[in-house]
Amino acid sequence: MSRRQTSRARFVPSPLLTSKTPVWRSKFIVAGLALAFLGLTARAVYVQVLDNSFFQKQGQVRFERTLTLPASRGRIYDRNGLLLASSVVAPSIWAIPDDVTAGATPTQLVQLARLLDMPLAQLKQALDSHEEKSFVWIKRQVDEPVAAQIAALKIPGIYQRKEYKREYPEGEAVAQVVGFTGVDGRGQEGAELAFDQQLSGKDGSRHVIKDRFGHVVDVVGDEVPPVDGPDLYLSIDSKIQFFAYQKVRDAVVTHKAKSGSVVVIDTRTGEVLAMANYPSYDPNNRKDLSGAQLRNIALTDTFEPGSTMKPITVGTALELGRVTPLTKIDTRPGRYQIGGFTIHDDADYGVLTVQGVIQKSSNIGALKIAQRLKPQELGNVYNLLGYGRRPDLDFPGAATGFVRPWKHWRPVEQATMAYGYGLSASLFQMVHSYTAFAHDGQVIRATLLKNASSASVQGARVFSPQTAAQIRTMLHMVVEPGGTATRAQTAGYTVGGKTGTAHKQVGRGYANNKYRAWFTGIAPIDGTRIAVGVMIDEPSDGQYFGGLVAAPVFSDVVQQTLRVLGVPPDMTVKPQIVDDANVE
């Protein structure tokens, strides 16, 4: 087209653009917009003011979180500051299932399952079957390196929460004393349970708003900081505990026994220096545990204490003036009829002094001495020494044992209890009762907590100092030539104690081939520092007497304990071990 033609072109306006718009139409549009705005305003007022509870709840469910700021549980130490239990950071993995399902790739889920050491099907089930769609635990308390690898996957809907788990550096040697906590950080066994409230501390909290990706975008209100639990110092000495554990473990294995226990008590302060049991368990790996492994046998299991009760019977008679150490007791001909029962000695010991009754461990001599006592007199001493009542010890599961009320004793019952049958006690109760002989006649309160002062404590008076000294002399005679426990002698230290060997009770009778062997004693004889008890349950290698099975463990534990405590030797002569003819 030429320039001339272009200049002649005419533009005709559109009729639609040139026509006048009716006024009512404009007003209608404005009115419609106004009504829509009013509707939105009314809806906003309804949602935000009149009936906002539902929407607030939904907002809180989706975006508000109260974060727990976990307190670190107090550490547990032995008396010398050696760490027995501590808390380490162990993040827990949680998820918003819908976000994971929508955003995670199959490869990411496979990698997550591998890091969590769980089958992929189990992971998917945890995500799919849980009713709560905004929060579900995937795995509690994973190691920090694993948590870091999970975070690096950047899987939508997978988050972490800082938590703590317990570690037990000393392992199985102290497992049944220290115990362990559950995944929620609460004590379940041992000292962890006994002192749970003290160790727990107090969790803090922080109220926050998170976006859909789990990021904190705002903090609501004041933060409550956590208060960590205080540290706890037990009376246990780890060196003594570990040595005692090794020795009782070796004895159980050597004698093919069912179990064994050792208890060591400081007779000046009442502190429990060791309480070892075998079998034990690793508190850091508690898969497939049995009840037998968890039990602190020294405290929870009771049995007839046997001959270890004879010094108590003799001590009561000495205290009341019914006998003296040299009073003659006729045990001939080695058997005694009472109440339709026949009581036997291992041999016909003839006429013995009261000292000889203890040294030879004569059942007949013990019952004849008990016949000089009233039931109430002997029963009251049992009670004062802790028999038949729960130990005054801050520890779960401690058994009370059984002593029939003295008002109901028949003559035959008083006779058998005099040498340790017809009543029951734990190894701990037996050892604790011997603190009366070691502490000049006072039975002292035992404790699993370290005393602030190492000074000697006062206890409940049971015997006079003179009676206690006389019993210590008799206990020492037991380990000398002619006694029943020469293998309890300890190089460098004077010791004393009492053997025990008893048939195990099965149903209403006694098994002919099942025994418990034990030895309970004190050391040194003068200026006594410790009481030690050893129990071996069901030795089955042909040896079952307490003097052969338990006494050697006592000897080793006493020697190591006194050395650790810095007690100077009180003997220069090497111990003399004789043949086993008199071993009980």
Side-chain angles (χ1 to χ4, degrees):
M1 183 180 293
S2 66
R3 189 172 183 181
R4 176 185 291 273
Q5 289 174 326
T6 302
S7 62
R8 291 178 180 178
R10 299 181 64 188
F11 296 92
V12 179
S14 171
L16 182 62
L17 295 176
T18 57
S19 62
K20 280 189 172 183
T21 302
V23 176
W24 66 267
R25 186 180 296 177
S26 301
K27 293 180 178 180
F28 176 78
I29 293 173
V30 172
L33 292 173
L35 286 174
F37 179 76
L38 288 173
L40 291 173
T41 302
R43 179 62 176 168
V45 171
Y46 178 78
V47 168
Q48 298 184 37
V49 180
L50 299 179
D51 189 21
N52 63 349
S53 59
F54 172 78
F55 298 97
Q56 284 184 336
K57 182 178 180 180
Q58 292 302 308
Q60 290 172 351
V61 169
R62 288 173 169 80
F63 302 108
E64 286 191 21
R65 294 283 186 273
T66 298
L67 302 181
T68 299
L69 304 178
S72 179
R73 190 174 177 86
R75 290 164 292 192
I76 300 178
Y77 294 95
D78 82 338
R79 63 183 301 102
N80 299 312
L82 184 70
L83 189 64
L84 301 179
S86 65
S87 296
V88 296
V89 175
S92 289
I93 311 302
W94 64 279
I96 299 177
D98 289 344
D99 291 353
V100 178
T101 302
T105 67
T107 301
Q108 286 178 318
L109 292 179
V110 170
Q111 292 174 320
L112 178 61
R114 178 179 58 80
L115 288 171
L116 294 175
D117 193 24
M118 65 169 56
L120 180 60
Q122 182 181 344
L123 173 61
K124 290 183 176 180
Q125 182 181 11
L127 293 169
D128 296 340
S129 64
H130 206 279
E131 296 181 358
E132 176 58 61
K133 296 300 181 182
S134 62
F135 181 93
V136 58
W137 286 117
I138 300 299
K139 190 167 185 178
R140 304 288 295 273
Q141 298 180 351
V142 301
D143 294 334
E144 283 195 284
V146 173
Q149 294 180 65
I150 292 174
L153 295 176
K154 297 182 179 180
I155 302 175
I158 296 294
Y159 307 103
Q160 299 183 16
R161 176 178 293 182
K162 180 181 178 182
E163 290 190 325
Y164 295 93
K165 72 174 181 179
R166 296 294 261 183
E167 287 190 348
Y168 302 94
E170 295 301 299
E172 61 185 22
V174 295
Q176 288 139 338
V177 175
V178 176
F180 57 84
T181 63
V183 71
D184 59 353
R186 298 298 178 185
Q188 294 190 342
E189 292 287 341
E192 291 277 30
L193 175 58
F195 305 103
D196 181 61
Q197 187 174 1
Q198 178 178 342
L199 290 165
S200 293
K202 187 175 182 181
D203 290 342
S205 62
R206 181 173 60 166
H207 200 60
V208 301
I209 296 177
K210 291 187 174 184
D211 61 19
R212 64 185 300 270
F213 301 106
H215 303 134
V216 175
V217 297
D218 194 13
V219 178
V220 182
D222 296 330
E223 179 178 308
V224 179
V227 179
D228 292 341
D231 295 336
L232 185 72
Y233 286 82
L234 298 182
S235 60
I236 297 295
D237 187 305
S238 291
K239 292 180 180 179
I240 300 172
Q241 175 77 18
F242 186 72
F243 187 82
Y245 173 75
Q246 283 184 315
K247 290 303 176 181
V248 74
R249 179 194 62 191
D250 293 347
V252 169
V253 173
T254 299
H255 296 288
K256 300 177 182 179
K258 182 178 179 181
S259 62
S261 299
V262 176
V263 174
V264 181
I265 297 178
D266 188 323
T267 58
R268 294 183 180 180
T269 64
E271 294 168 299
V272 179
L273 301 177
M275 190 185 297
N277 302 279
Y278 185 82
S280 185
Y281 64 94
D282 182 359
N284 298 298
N285 182 12
R286 302 191 294 273
K287 293 182 180 179
D288 303 322
L289 285 181
S290 66
Q293 290 174 291
L294 290 174
R295 288 203 319 274
N296 190 331
I297 300 171
L299 272 172
T300 62
D301 288 22
T302 61
F303 49 89
E304 291 176 311
S307 296
T308 53
M309 298 299 290
K310 291 172 184 174
I312 296 172
T313 302
V314 171
T316 305
L318 288 170
E319 185 71 15
L320 296 174
R322 310 294 163 77
V323 295
T324 70
L326 299 179
T327 299
K328 300 292 181 65
I329 306 294
D330 189 355
T331 68
R332 295 174 296 185
R335 59 183 180 274
Y336 186 85
Q337 290 275 342
I338 182 172
F341 297 91
T342 302
I343 311 301
H344 294 274
D345 275 341
D346 291 333
D348 181 0
Y349 296 122
V351 178
L352 296 171
T353 64
V354 170
Q355 290 178 332
V357 168
I358 297 297
Q359 185 182 34
K360 297 296 184 182
S361 194
S362 169
N363 295 335
I364 296 171
L367 75 85
K368 285 191 171 182
I369 292 172
Q371 287 175 336
R372 304 187 183 197
L373 301 170
K374 297 178 181 178
Q376 183 177 1
E377 293 170 337
L378 192 56
N380 286 343
V381 170
Y382 286 168
N383 182 260
L384 286 172
L385 292 175
Y387 291 98
R389 56 186 176 89
R390 191 182 187 281
D392 188 14
L393 191 71
D394 294 325
F395 202 89
T400 61
F402 174 77
V403 177
R404 186 177 174 86
W406 61 264
K407 293 181 180 180
H408 305 294
W409 289 1
R410 294 175 296 165
V412 67
E413 288 177 317
Q414 181 166 337
T416 58
M417 282 191 288
Y419 58 88
Y421 281 82
L423 72 162
S424 66
S426 66
L427 178 65
F428 176 83
Q429 287 175 306
M430 291 165 54
V431 178
H432 182 231
S433 70
Y434 271 50
T435 64
F437 303 135
H439 201 77
D440 285 335
Q442 295 180 346
V443 60
I444 57 176
R445 184 181 183 275
T447 178
L448 269 170
L449 296 178
K450 179 182 179 181
N451 286 337
S453 172
S454 59
S456 183
V457 299
Q458 296 298 310
R461 174 67 62 186
V462 181
F463 305 114
S464 67
Q466 179 184 4
T467 297
Q470 290 171 336
I471 294 296
R472 288 198 299 270
T473 298
M474 297 180 197
L475 294 176
H476 183 52
M477 293 172 63
V478 172
V479 305
E480 292 185 317
T484 60
T486 55
R487 293 194 178 191
Q489 292 183 48
T490 301
Y493 298 97
T494 57
V495 301
K498 192 69 192 74
T499 55
T501 307
H503 289 279
K504 290 187 67 173
Q505 190 170 5
V506 178
R508 295 186 177 182
Y510 293 91
N512 291 326
N513 58 349
K514 292 184 179 181
Y515 302 88
R516 281 192 180 94
W518 56 87
F519 188 90
T520 304
I522 58 177
I525 291 299
D526 295 324
T528 306
R529 184 64 187 274
I530 56 172
V532 179
V534 179
M535 187 276 294
I536 307 297
D537 187 16
E538 289 190 30
S540 59
D541 69 330
Q543 293 183 336
Y544 54 84
F545 288 113
L548 295 175
V549 176
V553 179
F554 169 89
S555 175
D556 290 338
V557 172
V558 164
Q559 188 173 53
Q560 178 70 9
T561 300
L562 293 178
R563 286 178 177 175
V564 169
L565 295 178
V567 178
D570 64 342
M571 279 183 59
T572 56
V573 180
K574 293 183 179 180
Q576 299 176 356
I577 306 299
V578 297
D579 61 56
D580 299 333
N582 295 314
V583 170
E584 181 191 57

